[in-house]
Amino acid sequence: MARGLILTTQARATTTSFTTRLSVSKPKCKNPLPYRLHLPSRVSSTRFFCCKCSVSQDPIVITEYKQSFSQRMAMAGLKPHHRIAIGVSGGPDSMALCFLTAGWKTDGANAVGKSDDGFINGILGVIVDHGLREESNEEAHIVSSRVTEMGIRCEIAKCSWLDGKPKQGHLLEEAREKRYEVFQNVCTKHQIEVLLIAHHADDQAELFILRLSRNSGVLGLAGMAFTSQMFSKSTHLYREGSKNKGILIVRPLLHFSKEILYKICQESGQDWVEDPTNQNTVYARNRIRMSLGNLSSYTFQSELQGVISACRRTRAYVDQICNNLINQAVTIIDQHGYAIIDLEILNPSKVTDICLSKFVALILQYVSQRNRPIRGSTSKLLLHYIRTVPCKTSFTAAGCYLCPAPRSRGTKILVCCSVDCPLNSKMELIYPFLNGEQKHYFRNELEQIIADGKSYSNHFVPDASDVHFLDASESVISEAKTLNIISESTYRDILLLKREEIKHFKHKVEDKVDYKSKNKVESIIASPSELLQPGKACYFMNRFWITWKLSNHVSVGEGTENCVADLGGESQECHSCSCRIGHDKVAEVRRMSESDWLYLAKLSKCPSLDNLQQQKVLSSSTMEQISEKRSLHLENLELSAQKALEVLKSIPVAARRSLPVLVNHQGLLLSIPSIGFKHCPCLMVSCEFKPIVPLGGGHSSFM
């Protein structure tokens, strides 16, 4: 939420008359700055109001901007009838986005109408109130009133900081993460699958300098994607049997400069707010923004955007190569959550370093479900490892364990989850939804939108002769100068910006080190097992959706006998004399261990039914019935264990260790659900492999 304050009606009337006396004309400078007004004494001096510079519109200029915006929306695969949300801060960027989106929805042959309450159909403005300042709630409501004046329905979503508000050093990062989490939740609640964000060309320039100062490569320097999928980390947003489709983020203003967005607001008569913290040089983006403002020549700006465009073309090419390699050389064993890379098909010696690094990173991120970039020495070691054919050693990186695949003679690499990483033991309990079952029926538009966007962007994916910076031996800006993408003066200016930001960054890192040394915090390791009640669900290792319950009826043909198991509270019929569910009515979920394998081997030869001794034998006839049924049950249990062992033998040893198992409170094995083994016929267990982030990280476009 922008921290500037739009004035209330009374104050607004005062400033309106004031601006009229000023006879403000359109600014002629390249970077028009908002006019700061002298506010009444009751308004904080740290907040200021930015008024429109002209109440009249230039229809020719507005029409040109609207046409350009409509073209960008079509490139994303979007049509006016699609349901969309807009992230609104109240600044000139998001207010211009609201204005253009409202026009795109209501103008032209495919225009949509308005609902009975006067709002444009299929559009929602989302204002995130971070709640970090006392006045943020008031500002959110005032911004909401401005957006609703455009005919856009608005919702204010307030952040809840369960672990306390973020500290100053991490404020922007945590606020951004929370903001996108709120966007995801609001979109899911309203069954909206597309979110528009008002990032623009100046934001890309700032990000380029920021990442350049952090030694980012060409893929990072490509900046924000025009379209990308965001997948929810909250497993409660989707149920068993459903998919975590996420939402599509579209940035239709990436080719609009900040200057143009100011002009759109001015010409369309839209008010906006300015964030006073944008002047705070504590934050890296602010420092870079101010430095870029001092280098506002047309040549510098156009050449800098030219480098960014070249980086984006390179990334589009690399993404296409990686997708082809994944389709050709990777086999995903979804049921058990591991992958196999065929080195003979991949032929690593013929793949450039940048493409091979991205390829390996995508595989590891999918298997580990830790969607983090792999950088530095780890990336170099992975490159060396995958280029060594045949593969003869094992390697652990990024939450994954890599080793030669069984019986492949080193021509294939097994990639599975590392059991040595505490994060990979994470289990999240899924609690029941309020007001009954969740109503979550999307209109299935997202797949078609992405397909239409891909069909457009595929025409712009360059071939190897049209991309630069694939050779990592030289820095991007040095090669850009060699290729005459930038001039000598622009090259020097970019280097100067980089050096200045590196100095600030080093000081910041040193301050963090000193702070950590004085305030040591003990790390918390995830518990290896969690309790799971019947009928409830859990999400294990960010990939397995597990539920279990007790069945009321099992046929006698399965070798069962009726016995009563006290599950706490009330007794339920349990039909297996081998039922191991205890009085606490819970099971535990953990990773498979070697002892589970040994136990199955023992069951396959001589099953043990210790709890049979606890059964009450009332008569000799009952004794005979139990003996007969016991014999049938032993045969079925022995057969089940044998089948489970056969399945396990087909799974590589390293991959077995990441399989989930259910045990009782004594640690005795109840079920290995992913291979179909269960100790008791009355135990009904479901295990579905459901990763949050798909292979390849979802759709993204760097046009």
Side-chain angles (χ1 to χ4, degrees), residues 509-644:
V509 171
E510 290 172 358
D511 292 340
K512 282 186 175 180
V513 172
D514 292 340
Y515 174 80
K516 288 182 178 180
S517 63
K518 297 177 182 178
N519 302 274
K520 293 183 179 179
V521 180
E522 295 183 0
S523 60
I524 300 176
I525 299 177
S527 172
S529 63
E530 297 285 349
L531 299 180
L532 182 64
Q533 296 179 342
K536 301 299 186 295
C538 76
Y539 199 57
F540 187 64
M541 297 174 65
N542 286 338
R543 56 181 57 73
F544 293 111
W545 184 288
I546 301 172
T547 60
W548 75 275
K549 63 181 180 179
L550 295 175
S551 174
N552 290 327
H553 301 284
V554 179
S555 64
V556 176
E558 290 186 60
T560 63
E561 64 175 284
N562 292 333
C563 61
V564 178
D566 184 4
L567 300 177
E570 58 185 73
S571 296
Q572 299 182 16
E573 286 292 324
C574 176
H575 300 272
S576 171
C577 55
S578 65
C579 184
R580 291 183 162 192
I581 300 296
H583 294 279
D584 48 8
K585 193 183 174 182
V586 294
E588 295 181 4
V589 183
R590 60 165 171 79
R591 292 191 303 255
M592 187 176 177
S593 64
E594 188 65 24
S595 61
D596 299 321
W597 170 273
L598 297 175
Y599 180 69
L600 285 177
K602 184 178 179 181
L603 279 181
S604 66
K605 297 177 181 178
C606 184
S608 173
L609 299 177
D610 298 332
N611 61 337
L612 179 65
Q613 300 174 0
Q614 302 175 5
Q615 306 304 316
K616 296 180 179 179
V617 182
L618 301 178
S619 65
S620 59
S621 60
T622 305
M623 182 71 156
E624 292 176 0
Q625 293 176 7
I626 291 178
S627 298
E628 181 181 355
K629 293 176 181 179
R630 176 181 181 275
S631 177
L632 289 173
H633 177 75
L634 290 176
E635 292 177 5
N636 286 338
L637 189 56
E638 182 178 359
L639 181 61
S640 178
Q642 290 173 355
K643 290 181 178 179

Side-chain angles (χ1 to χ4, degrees), residues 99-120:
F99 171 77
L100 292 172
T101 306
W104 170 74
K105 275 274 188 180
T106 56
D107 297 341
N110 298 319
V112 300
K114 294 185 177 181
S115 58
D116 295 337
D117 53 9
F119 291 113
I120 302 171

Side-chain angles (χ1 to χ4, degrees), residues 324-454:
N324 293 338
L325 292 176
I326 289 173
N327 293 332
Q328 296 168 6
V330 179
T331 301
I332 302 295
I333 313 299
D334 277 340
Q335 183 181 2
H336 306 305
Y338 66 92
I340 296 176
I341 303 174
D342 192 321
L343 295 178
E344 292 182 329
I345 297 177
L346 178 64
N347 198 357
S349 62
K350 294 187 177 181
V351 183
T352 59
D353 283 357
I354 188 172
C355 293
L356 193 58
S357 293
K358 180 68 181 294
F359 165 80
V360 177
L362 290 174
I363 304 300
L364 267 60
Q365 287 168 350
Y366 175 74
V367 172
S368 69
Q369 284 297 297
R370 298 167 63 190
N371 198 24
R372 304 174 185 173
I374 301 174
R375 300 189 179 100
S377 59
T378 301
S379 181
K380 293 179 181 178
L381 290 172
L382 275 169
L383 265 180
H384 176 74
Y385 180 81
I386 205 166
R387 287 196 184 280
T388 305
V389 182
C391 175
K392 296 181 180 180
T393 60
S394 61
F395 186 75
T396 302
C400 290
Y401 178 78
L402 294 80
C403 65
R407 297 178 294 278
S408 70
R409 297 184 179 181
T411 60
K412 296 180 180 180
I413 292 178
L414 170 71
V415 184
C416 57
C417 214
S418 172
V419 297
D420 297 325
C421 179
L423 293 176
N424 289 342
S425 298
K426 176 185 175 183
M427 173 179 146
E428 181 180 350
L429 295 175
I430 310 300
Y431 295 98
F433 293 102
L434 298 176
N435 302 322
E437 203 71 17
Q438 184 193 34
K439 301 296 182 182
H440 186 190
Y441 304 112
F442 280 124
R443 298 169 62 183
N444 296 320
E445 293 178 336
L446 186 58
E447 291 84 354
Q448 187 60 50
I449 292 172
I450 292 176
D452 292 343
K454 280 184 176 180

Side-chain angles (χ1 to χ4, degrees), residues 155-258:
E155 177 169 327
I156 299 174
K158 190 162 185 176
C159 297
S160 58
W161 302 95
L162 300 179
D163 299 326
K165 295 180 180 180
K167 304 298 181 184
Q168 184 68 24
H170 304 277
L171 180 62
L172 293 185
E173 293 83 356
E174 293 190 33
R176 178 188 181 278
E177 184 174 342
K178 178 66 71 172
R179 183 163 58 251
Y180 277 91
E181 178 185 329
V182 170
F183 285 149
Q184 177 83 55
N185 294 341
V186 173
C187 287
T188 302
K189 181 178 70 173
H190 291 279
Q191 302 176 24
I192 296 175
E193 299 175 299
V194 178
L195 172 68
L196 304 187
I197 300 294
H199 289 131
H200 49 82
D202 292 37
D203 291 328
Q204 288 283 59
E206 295 166 15
L207 185 59
F208 180 90
I209 300 299
L210 179 64
R211 290 183 174 177
L212 188 68
S213 68
R214 308 297 194 263
N215 294 320
S216 179
V218 61
L219 301 185
L221 296 177
M224 294 171 283
F226 171 57
T227 61
S228 58
Q229 276 179 280
M230 178 174 68
F231 297 92
S232 173
K233 298 179 182 179
S234 301
T235 53
H236 69 274
L237 292 179
Y238 64 106
R239 297 277 302 180
E240 182 179 8
S242 66
K243 294 182 179 179
N244 179 25
K245 297 190 297 182
I247 60 176
L248 182 70
I249 295 180
V250 180
R251 299 177 175 90
L253 303 183
L254 283 183
H255 282 63
F256 288 74
S257 68
K258 184 84 168 186

